[in-house]
Amino acid sequence: MKITVIASNTFREIIRDRILYNILIFAVIIICSTVLLGKLSIGEHLKIVEDMGLSAIELFGVLISIFVGISLVHKEIDKKTIYTIISKPVSRHEFILGKLTGLILIVFTNIAIMSIVLLLMSWIISGDIHLGLLMASFLIFLEMVIITSIAILFSSFSTPFLSTLFSLAIFIIGTATTDIRNLGLKASPAAKLLTDLLYYILPNLDNFDIKLQVVYSKPIEPSYIWWVTVYSILYSAVITTLTLLIFGKRDFK
């Protein structure tokens, strides 16, 4: 119940600040790309718009997850409202889980609305409803759940600048862990050990990228979607558990 209240307040607090601006910018990007690319591309108009649209959804998802996520906890500490919150019958665990839930709801809402805009633009261009776009958007959302939990983790013990830096670094490396590991296979044993550690410890975000398969209508096994869903839930659960342990022992004085 307390987690629900904190999540609800977090949702309302964020949506007043930024969410509408993100959606507006996304809609402008999609509409502009549709008009411009329709004149530049020959026979690939729909594919380019869908690819750009999904990339824009991922980009805005990352921006919201990281830049909003790192400020959620730090703002409460900086304004010293955390003292008021933890002095009430609200545990630190409930506070973190409420904030995380509220931010995930914001990310879901943002991605859902942007996906509907993209689906609508795809329908206007082709005359068909491309439901594969929703599948790709769902995997982007699962990817953002991991990024959100990572941003909350860093914000629980670090400054906003370092939290942003660390979160962005993990996102960038996470999208290329397979390539980095393959490079390590050709390097020295020490480099191979390092790349293997990065591969197994950091999230493999490349698993969530099915944009090209969807745009070119290639088949995607349902079992793969289930596997990626379970991977996202388990990885986020581990990161959140670590966050609860760190935040539970933090001294705010």
Side-chain angles (χ1 to χ4, degrees):
M1 183 62 184
K2 294 172 185 174
I3 294 175
T4 306
V5 172
I6 295 173
S8 176
N9 289 334
T10 302
F11 184 88
R12 287 198 297 269
E13 177 186 350
I14 298 173
I15 206 166
R16 289 194 200 104
D17 289 341
R18 302 176 177 88
I19 188 77
L20 294 180
Y21 298 103
N22 296 324
I23 295 170
L24 178 62
I25 292 170
F26 172 79
V28 170
I29 289 174
I30 294 298
I31 292 171
C32 290
S33 66
T34 302
V35 175
L36 293 174
L37 294 174
K39 298 178 181 178
L40 298 176
S41 59
I42 301 175
E44 300 290 331
H45 185 192
L46 177 62
K47 292 182 175 57
I48 293 176
V49 169
E50 289 181 345
D51 188 34
M52 285 189 62
L54 290 172
S55 298
I57 291 174
E58 184 179 30
L59 174 63
F60 281 102
V62 171
L63 293 178
I64 294 171
S65 300
I66 293 180
F67 288 99
V68 178
I70 60 168
S71 65
L72 278 181
V73 177
H74 181 268
K75 188 165 59 178
E76 303 287 359
I77 297 173
D78 189 49
K79 293 182 178 179
K80 303 190 184 307
T81 51
I82 188 70
Y83 297 110
T84 306
I85 296 172
I86 61 176
S87 65
K88 295 179 179 178
V90 177
S91 70
R92 296 188 182 196
H93 291 182
E94 290 170 331
F95 172 75
I96 289 293
L97 291 176
K99 289 289 184 184
L100 178 63
T101 305
L103 181 54
I104 289 176
L105 286 175
I106 282 290
V107 172
F108 175 79
T109 303
N110 206 349
I111 290 178
I113 294 175
M114 289 190 291
S115 301
I116 291 172
V117 173
L118 179 59
L119 198 67
L120 181 62
M121 296 308 300
S122 173
W123 174 71
I124 291 174
I125 295 171
S126 67
D128 294 324
I129 297 178
H130 192 179
L131 294 179
L133 294 174
L134 295 180
M135 188 185 299
S137 298
F138 175 66
L139 261 60
I140 291 174
F141 167 69
L142 293 177
E143 179 185 12
M144 293 309 117
V145 171
I146 292 179
I147 297 300
T148 299
S149 61
I150 289 173
I152 296 284
L153 167 65
F154 287 125
S155 69
S156 67
F157 65 88
S158 185
T159 63
F161 175 76
L162 291 177
S163 297
T164 304
L165 202 63
F166 294 149
S167 300
L168 282 175
I170 287 183
F171 170 73
I172 293 171
I173 297 174
T175 57
T177 51
T178 304
D179 294 333
I180 293 174
R181 190 191 186 196
N182 291 335
L183 286 175
L185 295 176
K186 304 174 184 177
S188 63
K192 180 179 180 302
L193 177 62
L194 177 61
T195 54
D196 281 346
L197 284 174
L198 291 175
Y199 179 79
Y200 288 111
I201 293 175
L202 298 181
N204 190 343
L205 301 180
D206 193 43
N207 292 330
F208 301 90
D209 186 5
I210 59 169
K211 290 192 283 294
L212 287 181
Q213 291 95 315
V214 167
V215 169
Y216 287 94
S217 301
K218 294 182 178 178
I220 301 170
E221 293 294 329
S223 59
Y224 181 79
I225 303 298
W226 279 109
W227 178 83
V228 173
T229 302
V230 171
Y231 176 80
S232 173
I233 293 172
L234 290 179
Y235 198 95
S236 302
V238 171
I239 296 297
T240 302
T241 302
L242 187 58
T243 304
L244 296 178
L245 291 174
I246 294 174
F247 193 74
K249 295 182 179 300
R250 178 166 179 178
D251 185 3
F252 297 110
K253 296 181 180 178

